[in-house]
Amino acid sequence: MNLETPVSQLFMVGQTYARRLTKLGIETIEDLIFHFPFRYDDFSLISPIAKVQPGEIVTIKGQLISIVNEYTKNGKKIQKAIVADDSGQIQIIWFNQIYLVKTFKIGESYNFSGKIEFFGHQIVMISPEYENIQHTTLTVQANNKVPIHTGRLVPIYPETYGVSSKWLRSRIAPLLKDFLPTLIDYLPIDLLDQQQLIPLSQALIYIHFPENQNQIDLARKRLAFDELLMIQLKGLKRKNDWQKEKLSKPFSIDQSKISQFTESLPFELTNAQKRCVKEILADLTKSQPMNRLLQGDVGSGKTVVAAIAMYVAHLNGFQSAIMAPTEILANQHYQTLKQLLTPFGLTINLTTSSKKQYSNIAIKQSDIVVGTHALLYNKNIFNNLGLVIIDEQHRFGVEQRSQLVNKGQTPHVLTMTATPIPRTIALTLYGDLDLSVIDEMPIGRLKVKTWVVPPTKRQDAYNWIKKHVKDTDETAFVICPLIEESESLKTVKAVTVEFEKLKNQVFPDLRLGLLHGRMKSKEKDQTIEEFRKGDLDILVSTPVVEVGIDIPRATIMLIEAADRFGLAQLHQLRGRVGRGMKESYCLLFSDLTEGKAVQRLKMMETSHLGMELAEMDLRMRGPGEVYGITQHGFPDLKIASYSDLELIQETRQAAESLIGKLNQYPLLAEKLQRSSKPKVEPN
Ligand code: ADP
Ligand code: MG
């Protein structure tokens, strides 16, 4: 048995449980001992029965005197037990767990941990955790029998159907006992000393079965370090691998042609855009392929920067591909690029899953191919691919990225994102990428006027929108939040209900459209087109419009239940308006009227910088929520936190010094190898 042994080979696990465990990302013994509790029940107060008080959470140790099933008048089943110790006796009650009568053995000693309450006029313990301490074979450390479900800090784990924390504890405890004595730490001892970290096996005992809060803290410190270190090492390794790739021909840069192009634009590039162009062009002249992230707020003008890079590829005789996360966006890029680059002799083609009108021959001959993910699955459609642009990076996982990249010759890759990830975090998440930031908006852009709207002002706001939309040719978005993690049927239902309400009751004289991710792409395109043309006054939508669409006519953004969104996400939604030269407005509806959540929303009224808002959100809410739900492509952290910038920096340094000498640390190299292996997708 070793760390890589499948859990199905463990005593009491088997195929059924093994299948359930994949839902928690657990396949091997190592996965199981690295499945960490997210909190602990504190059952460490042990009390003589005679001393227990109602309201207390305690552990009592006693002998089981009796246990019976009773049936109430309305058919419920109650289990009543009597337990005694030297000081007295107490009744214990469970509900609807008739099997308990068979589980317990009269006369044996048990721990019971739970809450003391009044039941009728009697002081009882209700639905406690229990553990037979007479026959327990469970022990965490050799020769040291301790309870694991009661009478201590009891770990509570992420669970899944059919896998409870109690079940997990019962499997993890014996593993720790059998395994840890032979487990050698993969981190170099001098690194542990320098960072003041405890040894791995101790950290694993402390995280699962701590004796006190201090042990939990020590364990978390060590394991968080490991978690971030692995992410850093993985990133650096990808970077090293990438740098081993060689290009057949570095690009040359024709500065005068580029100037002609930029002079053809109806605006001057901002200094930030110029700087990013320079960084990108420098990459393109190298003999290693570029792998760069271009980060910039919505509307900061990333597309034109990408267009310059694609033009350079063309001048060097190469094709470019640009991938967008949705068809709507692909379409938009197609229009923009046609406008910008056909005058310079480039041919541009669009290929998406719904638009197959272009033959592969047309694509083989085009200079720029615009598409969605469909591009990934369309093998061999390129003749001579020299540059890949991936728009809105967070929608694509690393796997998908490499899929495109490995298509024949290695092209340059430029990834673009509007997600305002602070620099340190970006360097961690995308450790293999170089970073360029457009940190400046084009001049003359008006700030979107933003208000948080309490329930009492809702009707006024509706009236104002009604009037504004009627008096002008301007239009409005209404965004409803996601109700579950993805755009589930529940969310679709909610947005549909809101749409009907707005259409029939609030804005009966206006033309309303509905947009959500579950619609057919043809319907989606059609609705967006109607809205773009001004045939719809109000577009009611889920946050699918978050990324990218550009409709200058839309000047009002109303967001329902705004408190459910992260500030960075609100900022991106707000970026859908204020695209033209007209004054634009953002109304943040919330049922909350006071407290931290409202203060947080109010920041939207004064701040108009994505990065600033993201950092404030990070401080106020923690990164799980900021980057959690809708934004994929970030590794989930089990124990570390993206807001721990200091630890991110320390692990970055440690990774940089370790990556070159992994051959000196074979255990660490193996660990890295194992953690880079993709997991079976749970379904
Ligand atoms: P994003 O970074 O969100 O992808 P886009 O590339 O779509 O932004 O640009 C948003 C709008 O700003 C476009 O209409 C584009 O033509 C315009 N734009 C880009 N750069 C400038 C600039 N330097 N000055 C003025 N307008 C610009
Ligand atoms: Mg864009």
Side-chain angles (χ1 to χ4, degrees):
M1 208 160 65
N2 60 44
L3 288 171
E4 290 179 89
T5 305
V7 278
S8 58
Q9 292 181 21
L10 282 176
F11 179 60
M12 300 281 283
V13 178
Q15 292 302 333
T16 306
Y17 275 104
R19 211 170 316 117
R20 291 176 183 169
L21 286 169
T22 58
K23 297 230 158 85
L24 295 170
I26 299 171
E27 290 168 19
T28 63
I29 288 182
E30 181 172 35
D31 296 336
L32 189 54
I33 53 182
F34 280 81
H35 186 64
F36 302 135
F38 64 95
R39 67 176 183 86
Y40 303 84
D41 275 337
D42 189 351
F43 293 146
S44 51
L45 176 66
I46 296 172
S47 174
I49 290 174
K51 292 235 167 108
V52 299
Q53 301 292 329
E56 258 179 354
I57 292 174
V58 292
T59 297
I60 54 174
K61 292 171 171 292
Q63 203 183 18
L64 188 76
I65 307 295
S66 67
I67 178 164
V68 291
N69 278 315
E70 274 183 18
Y71 295 83
T72 64
K73 269 175 266 164
N74 45 21
K76 295 233 171 72
K77 300 167 193 83
I78 301 183
Q79 293 70 49
K80 289 187 171 171
I82 305 284
V83 173
D85 67 8
D86 292 345
S87 73
Q89 63 178 47
I90 189 169
Q91 190 171 71
I92 299 183
I93 293 176
W94 290 271
F95 302 95
N96 290 318
Q97 300 187 42
I98 39 177
Y99 63 89
L100 285 178
V101 175
K102 291 198 182 113
T103 312
F104 282 107
K105 297 205 169 54
I106 308 286
E108 295 197 342
S109 300
Y110 292 87
N111 274 358
F112 297 90
S113 293
K115 197 163 183 193
I116 305 295
E117 288 178 59
F118 276 111
F119 189 74
H121 297 292
Q122 223 182 345
I123 289 181
V124 302
M125 192 177 226
I126 293 192
S127 299
E129 292 289 331
Y130 55 87
E131 184 166 17
N132 186 318
I133 47 175
Q134 192 158 329
H135 293 302
T136 185
T137 50
L138 290 172
T139 147
V140 180
Q141 277 163 298
N143 310 321
N144 184 13
K145 279 195 184 176
V146 288
I148 59 170
H149 307 297
T150 56
R152 58 173 308 130
L153 289 167
V154 175
I156 308 295
Y157 297 93
E159 300 175 350
T160 185
Y161 174 77
V163 179
S164 65
S165 286
K166 185 164 191 172
W167 187 92
L168 285 163
R169 261 174 247 138
S170 308
R171 300 299 156 296
I172 291 171
L175 260 187
L176 294 183
K177 169 177 151 273
D178 296 342
F179 229 85
L180 293 190
T182 60
L183 186 69
I184 308 171
D185 207 322
Y186 44 70
L187 285 191
I189 194 106
D190 41 334
L191 180 62
L192 296 183
D193 281 349
Q194 181 204 331
Q195 298 287 341
Q196 299 185 318
L197 297 171
I198 59 173
L200 181 62
S201 50
Q202 197 171 27
L204 289 169
I205 290 176
Y206 284 0
I207 199 75
H208 290 290
F209 296 104
E211 281 164 23
N212 51 49
Q213 185 60 42
N214 185 43
Q215 291 189 349
I216 300 175
D217 295 342
L218 288 170
R220 294 188 70 91
K221 187 175 169 208
R222 162 69 207 253
L223 297 167
F225 186 91
D226 288 22
E227 183 171 38
L228 286 171
L229 181 72
M230 285 304 150
I231 295 176
Q232 307 274 19
L233 284 171
K234 273 190 259 183
L236 290 178
K237 186 164 180 304
R238 278 202 302 271
K239 185 168 194 161
N240 282 359
D241 291 348
W242 185 260
Q243 282 172 347
K244 286 191 201 116
E245 302 276 338
K246 284 276 178 292
L247 289 173
S248 48
K249 177 181 158 227
F251 288 7
S252 64
I253 309 291
D254 185 337
Q255 204 56 57
S256 71
K257 287 240 162 84
I258 294 173
S259 301
Q260 271 173 25
F261 174 77
T262 51
E263 275 154 29
S264 79
L265 297 170
F267 46 76
E268 193 183 357
L269 293 181
T270 61
N271 285 327
Q273 282 171 314
K274 286 180 190 160
R275 190 186 63 240
C276 292
V277 168
K278 215 164 147 187
E279 287 164 357
I280 290 165
L281 295 188
D283 282 1
L284 294 179
T285 58
K286 290 183 186 151
S287 55
Q288 285 149 356
M290 165 169 75
N291 195 17
R292 185 170 286 276
L293 179 67
L294 177 62
Q295 188 186 46
D297 245 357
V298 269
S300 63
K302 295 183 288 294
T303 317
V304 65
V305 173
I308 294 172
M310 289 190 274
Y311 183 40
V312 169
H314 164 71
L315 292 174
N316 282 273
F318 284 94
Q319 290 178 295
S320 302
I322 174 163
M323 288 200 305
T326 63
E327 297 204 2
I328 297 168
L329 270 179
N331 215 340
Q332 196 172 285
H333 278 319
Y334 173 61
Q335 305 295 346
T336 310
L337 294 171
K338 246 188 0 191
Q339 211 175 5
L340 287 174
L341 289 168
T342 12
F344 292 84
L346 279 75
T347 55
I348 295 139
N349 261 312
L350 178 69
T351 167
T352 61
S353 48
S354 73
K355 294 191 178 69
K356 291 216 173 79
Q357 71 265 46
Y358 297 107
S359 69
N360 282 355
I361 297 168
I363 288 175
K364 272 209 159 71
Q365 286 166 355
S366 48
D367 299 306
I368 296 177
V369 182
V370 186
T372 55
H373 305 71
L375 269 185
L376 290 173
Y377 306 110
N378 229 336
K379 282 216 161 46
N380 307 319
I381 59 169
F382 301 102
N383 235 346
N384 192 15
L385 183 63
L387 171 64
V388 172
I389 313 259
I390 302 174
D391 196 15
E392 302 303 349
Q393 136 78 18
H394 65 265
R395 300 273 168 128
F396 294 95
V398 173
E399 303 304 319
Q400 281 176 309
R401 233 192 308 162
S402 55
Q403 218 173 338
L404 187 83
V405 168
N406 293 332
K407 259 187 171 61
Q409 68 280 62
T410 306
H412 293 287
V413 177
L414 179 67
T415 310
M416 307 198 289
T417 182
T419 308
I421 321 152
R423 192 172 187 94
T424 20
I425 298 182
L427 287 174
T428 305
L429 293 172
Y430 311 122
D432 51 336
L433 305 183
D434 296 307
L435 189 60
S436 287
V437 184
I438 309 185
D439 51 6
E440 174 186 12
M441 293 301 266
I443 40 169
R445 245 339 122 68
L446 291 168
K447 283 180 183 152
V448 178
K449 289 201 167 145
T450 304
W451 295 283
V452 179
V453 181
T456 49
K457 298 269 178 67
R458 179 180 279 264
Q459 194 52 48
D460 291 348
Y462 283 146
N463 293 342
W464 176 82
I465 293 173
K466 207 180 293 180
K467 185 163 168 13
H468 193 85
V469 168
K470 270 194 176 158
D471 291 352
T472 64
D473 65 347
E474 296 167 24
T475 59
F477 286 104
V478 173
I479 307 293
C480 301
L482 294 184
I483 295 190
E484 285 160 345
E485 287 208 11
S486 61
E487 221 183 299
S488 61
L489 287 172
K490 237 178 168 168
T491 299
V492 169
K493 188 158 169 249
V495 70
T496 311
V497 167
E498 183 66 18
F499 168 70
E500 295 293 336
K501 188 188 108 195
L502 292 175
K503 191 171 116 177
N504 299 324
Q505 295 165 30
V506 183
F507 303 116
D509 321 333
L510 298 177
R511 298 161 302 169
L512 272 70
L514 173 66
L515 185 71
H516 59 71
R518 294 253 173 155
M519 283 160 59
K520 294 213 175 74
S521 55
K522 220 173 165 178
E523 294 169 341
K524 267 192 264 182
D525 285 354
Q526 203 178 337
T527 305
I528 291 196
E529 222 24 62
E530 285 173 24
F531 188 57
R532 194 191 299 280
K533 286 199 304 232
D535 293 346
L536 293 173
D537 301 308
I538 296 179
L539 185 65
V540 182
S541 170
T542 57
V544 289
V545 296
E546 181 193 333
V547 211
I549 61 171
D550 197 0
I551 299 178
R553 187 191 303 277
T555 58
I556 299 171
M557 169 62 64
L558 186 169
I559 301 173
E560 278 290 344
D563 46 276
R564 296 227 209 135
F565 292 85
L567 294 185
Q569 205 191 356
L570 289 175
H571 179 69
Q572 291 200 19
L573 287 167
R574 176 167 67 180
R576 299 299 118 232
V577 297
R579 298 227 135 195
M581 280 297 140
K582 280 174 248 149
E583 188 83 74
S584 295
Y585 311 90
C586 176
L587 305 179
L588 302 172
F589 280 26
S590 170
D591 287 340
L592 307 174
T593 51
E594 57 189 327
K596 242 177 127 176
V598 175
Q599 279 171 25
R600 195 173 67 84
L601 281 182
K602 287 257 178 203
M603 291 175 186
M604 293 291 296
E605 295 181 352
T606 49
S607 174
H608 294 265
L609 291 171
M611 189 65 80
E612 188 176 272
L613 288 165
E615 276 173 0
M616 287 195 282
D617 226 9
L618 196 60
R619 274 200 298 272
M620 289 192 76
R621 300 203 308 171
E625 293 196 55
V626 181
Y627 301 119
I629 306 183
T630 51
Q631 320 219 358
H632 299 293
F634 293 5
D636 268 342
L637 293 180
K638 281 202 259 188
I639 199 158
S641 152
Y642 287 124
S643 58
D644 193 345
L645 296 182
E646 207 174 320
L647 190 60
I648 289 176
Q649 236 134 21
E650 279 165 13
T651 51
R652 176 81 181 177
Q653 277 164 14
E656 271 164 2
S657 80
L658 287 169
I659 192 79
K661 28 182 195 184
L662 280 178
N663 53 356
Q664 289 172 40
Y665 305 111
L667 287 173
L668 183 60
E670 280 170 29
K671 173 86 183 168
L672 183 62
Q673 181 86 30
R674 287 197 302 273
S675 65
S676 305
K677 241 192 264 164
K679 294 257 170 223
V680 176
E681 275 289 307
N683 42 40

